Amino acid sequence: MPSFDAILIGGGTNGLACAARLAMKGRRVVVLEAGAEVGGGAGSREFAPGYVAPSLAHTTRGLDARVVAGMDLARHGLVFHPALPTVVLGPEPLTVQRGKTSGPDAAAYAALMARLGEFARVLAPFRALTPPRLTTTGNEWGRLARLGLGIRALGKAEFREFLRMILINIADVAEDELSDDRLKGLLAFDATLGAWLGPRSPNSLILLLNQLAIGPDTLMPKGGMAAVAQAMARAAEAAGVHLRCNATVARVVVEGERAVGVELTSGEVIRAETVVSAISPRLTFQQLVGPRHLDAGFFARVSHIRSRGAVAKLHLALSGAPGVPDLRARMVVAPSVRAVEEAFNPVKYGEVPKAPVLEFVLPSAFEAGVAPEGHHVLSANVQFAPHAPKAALAAARTEMLENTLAVLEAHVPGLRGLVVGAEMLMPQDIEARFGMVGGNWHHGELAVEQMLFLRPLREAAQYATPVAGLFLAGAGSHPGGGINGAAGWNAAERVLAHG
Ligand SMILES: Cc1cc2nc3c(=O)[nH]c(=O)nc-3n(C[C@H](O)[C@H](O)[C@H](O)COP(=O)(O)OP(=O)(O)OC[C@H]3O[C@@H](n4cnc5c(N)ncnc54)[C@H](O)[C@@H]3O)c2cc1C
């Protein structure tokens, strides 16, 4: 076994980005991935014989520009299809792309999205920033202040509007600016996707801005979402990273209050000067490090990191093409703000919503070979699903599937008759299969009280942790999840800065 300078725990897209960056700077790096393949949420799976679906993520808003350029992902085979339009399904479907749409609200929607796009543009640089320590002065705050100046450059009136809007909820913004329920429902859905809040919850607008800051488009790579991880894996290996799959880390080895390596479930111990965990922060501290090596107060705060997932994953095997307006679009079923709010309310009490809201794509319309000839695969992100159902998990899963199929049938008549296989993953299933605590999209809720210098916790917000030599690099760190690699890249920069 060769020796390594750094061990990456978890071969998701953040782990791969971090590993590649470290290797490019001359570190000898090994990635230890529990699964049979790297990719994490950006993988693919045969969920029914002959039908292959994205494991979790089915589109991306775009990868971090530093990751794309630094890993030269185009050279390693990553190419995207043209950006997908969004079709809001309903009695009169509405197509939306990059702020452009038709109907009575076309001009108001374009103006609103232009303004939100401008706000997102000034927020985008925050994503590449190591959050400053609350207690320090000097350089770090200086960088934050410079970014703040970017916001001030919006001009006085827009700056005031920016401050007003980031504090309010998406429902109020949608109601104030638009009249078309289809557009209001779409905004409410997009702002809350992956979050544990409804459109009337405070701060829901900032989550939409964060998504727009990643990118304005919905993108599907050629070869499916797993192609992102495959290109990253090729780039990492080209940089000298050693990838090991079927290697589950059981614990971080700590000696003299310093992380010095890891022990696999097989009992094998691998040592390195630096250990970087690109899995959930709660799992990292609670299971891999353990209370013995952590301050009691910090350990208690780890268990308070909120990590409630509310997205269920539906995969359908279809015997033919569903009757949707555009097979190569992202379809959204979110008829109004109220519909999104009413889908959220029951999950607060561990119940399954009667009428979930959802987005779906048909990966089979983009790639041959993921379904038998003439058949299709439907991949949906369904909101909201209880992370701790009051009923038994199996009963909640059945109810979620039944209610989602009823919603789909109402919007795509005849769809049920095409279903030859179905898989519904509840947040608990996602936790068990992917190690995402609570099934949460971001490995820990992305909410104002868990953002920037509070993500995942004040003591670990700069990617370094209270255990010397141990760093975090996954979605649970700033700037959160999604398939983009930003957290992993930021973490690598921090490891390198530590020398
Ligand atoms: C239902 C659902 C749908 C989603 N849809 C989208 C979408 O359409 N678009 C989008 O951009 N994002 C989507 N996301 C979010 C996205 O999947 C995650 O934010 C993203 O995968 C996080 O990347 P990561 O590299 O930080 O972690 P992960 O992708 O979770 O990767 C972590 C890796 O660590 C491995 N691991 C865990 N424990 C260990 C261990 N002990 N030892 C070794 N390896 C270990 C896991 O096997 C995994 O491969 C979705 C999330 C959910 C829950």
Side-chain angles (χ1 to χ4, degrees):
M1 164 65 60
S3 62
F4 298 105
D5 300 315
I7 295 167
L8 250 299
I9 306 172
T13 42
N14 278 315
L16 292 171
C18 184
R21 179 69 179 150
L22 292 177
M24 282 173 217
K25 289 287 179 181
R27 306 292 165 96
R28 292 162 302 161
V29 185
V30 62
V31 173
L32 301 171
E33 166 54 44
E37 285 174 5
V38 292
S44 63
R45 270 188 52 252
E46 190 175 52
F47 68 99
Y51 298 85
V52 178
S55 51
L56 286 178
H58 53 207
T59 55
T60 165
R61 282 186 166 264
L63 303 188
D64 187 287
R66 297 166 302 165
V67 174
V68 175
M71 294 175 78
D72 205 353
L73 292 179
R75 186 166 67 85
H76 291 286
L78 184 63
V79 184
F80 288 96
H81 292 285
L84 280 61
T86 291
V87 177
V88 187
L89 295 180
E92 287 178 55
L94 185 69
T95 301
V96 179
Q97 188 153 27
R98 277 218 169 195
K100 289 200 177 65
T101 187
S102 53
D105 268 358
Y109 184 71
L112 175 62
M113 293 314 285
R115 171 175 265 172
L116 295 181
E118 190 58 17
F119 293 166
R121 196 184 55 74
V122 297
L123 284 180
F126 282 87
R127 295 183 51 82
L129 179 85
T130 295
R133 273 185 194 286
L134 279 176
T135 49
T136 54
T137 51
N139 286 348
E140 296 190 37
W141 282 105
R143 264 185 302 139
L144 195 62
R146 277 199 297 282
L147 290 178
L149 286 179
I151 299 176
R152 287 307 305 261
L154 284 169
K156 213 170 174 181
E158 280 302 276
F159 178 63
R160 255 201 312 263
E161 192 57 12
F162 172 81
L163 288 182
R164 184 183 75 84
M165 279 179 118
I166 58 166
L167 295 173
I168 59 176
N169 62 59
I170 190 67
D172 285 346
V173 173
E175 302 288 4
D176 282 355
E177 307 290 334
L178 303 168
S179 61
D180 189 330
D181 269 337
R182 296 168 297 182
L183 292 171
K184 290 193 263 186
L186 174 63
L187 279 180
F189 179 83
D190 279 348
T192 56
L193 183 61
W196 200 89
L197 44 74
R200 297 203 180 283
S201 309
N203 311 122
S204 41
L205 184 78
I206 197 155
L207 299 184
L208 181 63
L209 294 181
N210 178 54
Q211 294 189 40
L212 292 171
I214 300 173
D217 290 322
T218 302
L219 297 170
M220 171 93 73
K222 291 194 172 164
M225 281 304 286
V228 175
Q230 285 154 10
M232 284 182 139
R234 281 193 286 274
E237 285 187 314
V241 172
H242 188 73
L243 299 180
R244 267 185 75 179
C245 290
N246 300 309
T248 304
V249 174
R251 72 180 181 101
V252 173
V253 180
V254 181
E255 287 172 4
E257 299 185 2
R258 195 187 160 82
V260 294
V262 300
E263 181 177 346
L264 304 185
T265 46
S266 63
E268 182 187 351
V269 172
I270 305 171
R271 297 179 79 87
E273 200 174 307
T274 303
V275 177
V276 187
S277 172
I279 68 170
S280 135
R282 260 172 64 177
L283 284 184
T284 302
F285 294 117
Q286 290 178 324
Q287 292 185 10
L288 302 192
V289 178
R292 203 155 60 89
H293 302 294
L294 294 166
D295 168 80
F298 176 78
F299 193 76
R301 282 193 292 285
V302 167
S303 61
H304 298 154
I305 298 173
R306 276 198 296 284
S307 197
R308 297 161 294 189
V311 185
K313 185 86 218 173
L314 173 69
H315 294 137
L316 293 180
L318 303 175
S319 60
V324 292
D326 181 351
L327 291 176
R328 287 165 73 99
R330 174 179 82 125
M331 249 66 64
V332 171
V333 178
S336 64
V337 170
R338 186 185 174 128
V340 180
E341 189 71 22
E342 286 182 351
F344 175 61
N345 287 337
V347 308
K348 298 178 198 160
Y349 311 105
E351 290 161 9
V352 168
K354 291 271 171 295
V357 290
L358 55 102
E359 63 164 17
F360 71 86
V361 291
L362 298 160
S364 46
F366 295 85
E367 306 301 330
V370 298
E373 187 69 35
H375 290 218
H376 278 279
V377 168
L378 183 152
S379 166
N381 287 335
V382 187
Q383 296 209 127
F384 293 85
H387 70 287
K390 212 160 65 178
L393 176 60
R397 194 189 292 118
T398 305
E399 192 182 351
M400 194 81 204
L401 176 61
E402 187 48 46
N403 293 358
T404 307
L405 287 175
V407 166
L408 277 170
E409 179 65 26
H411 288 82
V412 189
L415 185 105
R416 280 194 91 134
L418 300 174
V419 176
V420 292
E423 174 184 65
M424 173 62 85
L425 299 177
M426 298 292 278
Q428 282 179 336
D429 299 318
I430 292 167
E431 170 162 3
R433 195 172 287 183
F434 299 94
M436 295 171 157
V437 173
N440 185 269
W441 180 293
H442 300 280
H443 291 190
E445 289 165 44
L446 196 63
V448 272
E449 69 281 12
Q450 292 190 164
M451 273 185 184
L452 271 172
F453 38 74
L454 299 173
R455 183 160 189 83
L457 284 173
R458 180 174 53 79
E459 299 92 331
Q462 289 78 33
Y463 308 98
T465 73
V467 180
L470 175 65
F471 293 80
L472 297 178
S477 292
H478 173 75
I483 304 303
N484 55 72
W489 198 266
N490 288 356
E493 299 296 359
R494 205 59 189 171
V495 172
L496 293 167
H498 271 245

